[in-house]
Amino acid sequence: MPLKHIDTYIFDLDNTLYHPSTGIMDAMGIKMNQFISELHGISVEEAAVIRRNYWLTYGTTLHGLMEHDNIDPVSYLDYIHDIDLAVIKECAATRSGIEKLQGKKVIFTNANKEYAEKVLERLGIADMFDGLYDTSWAGYVPKPATAPYEKLIKELGADPKKCLMLEDTATNLKTAHDMGMTTVLIHEYEHNHEHVHHQEPCIITWLDKVTKDK
Ligand SMILES: [Mg+2]
């Protein structure tokens, strides 16, 4: 894929920069269910149903909890991100691929900064980005809402037509696409989204393809 016109790379974090097979998001899902279960005094199974509805309606469980349950986002994020990250290993291929990309590189995540920094450190790529834009920076308004994307573009002084966004959640690429960005879906199984320009099963295969001559 041609990248000559791209001057800004916007990376999602979870399940994009590391593979879903690490089970990190599953571990986080368990913590979310526990949080809702304790909050409402219900079973974790009942909590899982609420979590799914919040996620589908609001983009993140957090946003649903803030709308319906008035919870403190900081303590919630601390609680769900308190998981073992040892399964995330240093990845030389990711590092050398990102290094070869010409332009500004930033992280744009619905997670919080402290957790994101830990993940990036474990991957061995924490020093490679020009910015880390987390959910607290976005005022806890999550992707795919338009507001955080617009805030990001403004903050970077970027032209959306020169931005490329990488994500494992197809919905989050719809907003990017509609703003004029190039979109790359990092996912093995999802298919046929009109707003997805390119798709690769994992970040390493995408980096290999676009940087092989560099
Ligand atoms: Mg993700």
Side-chain angles (χ1 to χ4, degrees):
M1 61 180 291
L3 296 179
K4 277 201 186 80
H5 65 294
I6 301 297
D7 65 10
T8 306
Y9 293 88
I10 301 169
F11 292 87
D12 171 48
L13 179 79
D14 290 306
N15 282 0
T16 296
L17 284 173
Y18 62 81
H19 199 268
S21 63
T22 51
I24 291 291
M25 292 307 281
D26 300 328
M28 214 181 288
I30 290 169
K31 296 284 287 192
M32 290 178 191
N33 292 348
Q34 283 169 350
F35 184 93
I36 296 169
S37 156
E38 283 167 27
L39 183 73
H40 288 291
I42 55 176
S43 70
V44 285
E45 290 78 15
E46 289 167 312
V49 175
I50 292 178
R51 171 164 77 96
R52 182 162 172 76
N53 286 335
Y54 282 176
W55 188 77
L56 288 172
T57 310
Y58 298 100
T60 57
T61 305
L62 170 60
H63 200 58
L65 283 165
M66 287 171 72
E67 286 288 323
H68 291 272
D69 305 297
N70 200 26
I71 59 119
D72 165 38
V74 176
S75 50
Y76 166 79
L77 288 167
D78 286 347
Y79 183 93
I80 65 153
H81 287 141
D82 183 20
I83 50 174
D84 186 7
L85 298 176
V87 283
I88 299 179
K89 308 286 184 205
E90 237 178 76
C91 182
T94 304
R95 185 174 177 89
S96 72
I98 292 175
E99 214 155 37
K100 288 176 194 160
L101 296 174
Q102 298 295 312
K104 209 178 259 184
K105 300 153 206 172
V106 300
I107 303 286
F108 180 32
T109 175
N110 283 343
N112 75 5
K113 194 170 187 236
E114 294 72 20
Y115 161 82
E117 280 169 349
K118 276 187 220 161
V119 170
L120 294 172
E121 266 159 37
R122 291 217 54 93
L123 285 164
I125 56 173
D127 59 328
M128 305 195 74
F129 297 92
D130 301 289
L132 198 174
Y133 300 93
D134 75 334
T135 191
S136 127
W137 169 85
Y140 301 103
V141 179
K143 299 178 280 185
T146 311
Y149 293 70
E150 285 177 343
K151 190 178 179 193
L152 180 65
I153 290 300
K154 197 173 168 198
E155 177 110 357
L156 295 172
D159 173 357
K161 289 193 175 58
K162 295 181 180 173
C163 293
L164 181 146
M165 184 162 166
L166 298 111
E167 258 282 354
D168 68 293
T169 303
T171 328
N172 292 348
L173 290 175
K174 174 84 169 70
T175 316
H177 168 272
D178 292 351
M179 289 171 76
M181 297 186 206
T182 298
T183 58
V184 178
L185 180 65
I186 303 296
H187 204 291
E188 222 163 323
Y189 308 110
E190 291 243 15
H191 285 294
N192 302 323
H193 294 283
E194 277 182 5
H195 59 273
V196 170
H197 296 119
H198 305 276
Q199 182 165 1
E200 276 296 323
C202 82
I203 192 77
I204 301 170
T205 59
W206 182 79
L207 286 167
D208 274 354
K209 269 191 191 167
V210 298
T211 64
K212 66 173 181 292
D213 302 326
K214 295 190 173 121

